[in-house]
Amino acid sequence: MGRKLLEIAYLGTSYCGWQVQPNGVTIQEILQNSLYKILKYKPNVTGCSRTDSDVHAKQFFCHFDTDVNIPNNGLVLGLNTILPNDISAINCYNVPDDFHARYSATGKLYKYSIFLSEIKNPFLFGRTLLIKSPINLTLANEYCDLLKGKHNFEAFSSINRTVVDTVRTVSECYIDINDNILDFYVKADGFLYNMVRIMVGTLLEYSSGKISREDIAKAFSTGDRTLLGATAPPQGLYLEKVFYDNNDDIFFKDRS
């Protein structure tokens, strides 16, 4: 029995998130059913993150154990003939038995895309958040700087979170704007439930002057969710990249 790490990408618009649930179709369910057609049994696939409904992933990792002798590139090609067009297998790697797609990760980079326009674009529907009012970029950049560093992000999470420790370290936070699309990027050693979406909702209110620097500082010190903005909708959120200590090591070279 060996462990394989599968790299995939997907548009989450048609799915109820990653994790299998009784109330809708999920990425995990589709992937496990597709692997069943190749391996002739349904493996337990563990993901690197629990993305919500309508959330997308440009890079997502998951692991499973198998004793079926199949080349990694053959598994990727086989999956891509079975998976729907909004889910793609990218790579497959042999990893040690104690490697864990979620717990071995040292950090993640998320992006949230905002379309700044008074006119909607059907080609961006479900992939960006449409905002008709302009955003003060000076205040937006100031806000990004406030999020950097090690803080208690309790206020930036939903009450549905399942973890007790709410301290996280944000190593990068910045915005990039091209063709009226503002991309908010944040990289951290871990994320709480709805953390990025609350960051984005607060960004919109901070840049409009409704939330102050003092409010952010107080939110960090007290964990008071009411000091921050609304939770932004999911459709503009992308898991951009997952980081592991061995990104350049044998884990990610062994694709045979």
Side-chain angles (χ1 to χ4, degrees), residues 16-230:
C16 295
W18 160 259
Q19 192 167 351
V20 169
Q21 56 179 279
N23 300 321
V25 180
T26 67
I27 305 293
Q28 186 183 38
E29 176 186 353
I30 293 293
L31 185 57
Q32 289 182 160
N33 289 342
S34 299
L35 284 168
Y36 174 81
K37 295 179 180 179
I38 297 174
L39 303 176
K40 307 307 179 186
Y41 75 97
K42 187 180 294 186
N44 181 28
V45 179
T46 301
C48 64
S49 180
R50 297 178 180 179
T51 55
D52 289 338
S53 298
D54 297 321
V55 174
H56 319 294
K58 292 187 177 179
Q59 184 181 63
F60 189 99
F61 288 99
C62 52
H63 76 257
F64 63 93
D65 297 325
T66 183
D67 56 7
V68 176
N69 186 17
I70 180 171
N72 289 335
N73 60 340
L75 183 62
V76 169
L77 294 175
L79 279 173
N80 282 328
T81 65
I82 300 169
L83 290 168
N85 291 331
D86 50 7
I87 305 175
S88 177
I90 307 298
N91 277 308
C92 186
Y93 310 91
N94 297 323
V95 293
D97 291 343
D98 61 350
F99 187 92
H100 195 284
R102 181 179 179 186
Y103 298 124
S104 296
T106 58
K108 298 183 180 76
L109 174 68
Y110 279 93
K111 178 183 78 172
Y112 194 100
S113 291
I114 301 171
F115 181 42
L116 304 171
S117 176
E118 294 185 351
I119 306 298
K120 63 182 180 180
N121 184 332
F123 299 103
L124 298 177
F125 178 75
R127 304 185 186 189
T128 61
L129 173 64
L130 176 64
I131 297 293
K132 296 182 179 181
S133 56
I135 288 183
N136 185 316
L137 295 181
T138 299
L139 289 178
N141 282 303
E142 178 182 286
Y143 169 75
C144 289
D145 288 337
L146 295 178
L147 296 181
K148 294 177 185 176
K150 187 176 183 179
H151 303 287
N152 184 350
F153 283 94
E154 179 182 358
F156 286 85
S157 65
S158 164
I159 59 174
N160 294 325
R161 64 179 177 272
T162 58
V163 298
V164 176
D165 182 10
T166 54
V167 174
R168 298 291 185 272
T169 300
V170 172
S171 55
E172 296 180 26
C173 188
Y174 59 95
I175 58 174
D176 186 35
I177 185 166
N178 288 290
D179 297 326
N180 292 333
I181 296 180
L182 183 149
D183 290 324
F184 170 82
Y185 290 92
V186 58
K187 178 185 175 182
D189 56 358
F191 289 87
L192 304 171
Y193 185 59
N194 282 346
M195 181 170 161
V196 180
R197 291 167 59 189
I198 294 172
M199 284 179 167
V200 172
T202 305
L203 165 69
L204 298 177
E205 296 200 19
Y206 191 96
S207 64
S208 66
K210 296 178 181 178
I211 292 177
S212 67
R213 175 189 291 264
E214 290 72 28
D215 292 327
I216 301 299
K218 189 174 181 180
F220 283 142
S221 63
T222 66
D224 187 352
R225 173 71 182 86
T226 64
L227 292 167
L228 304 177

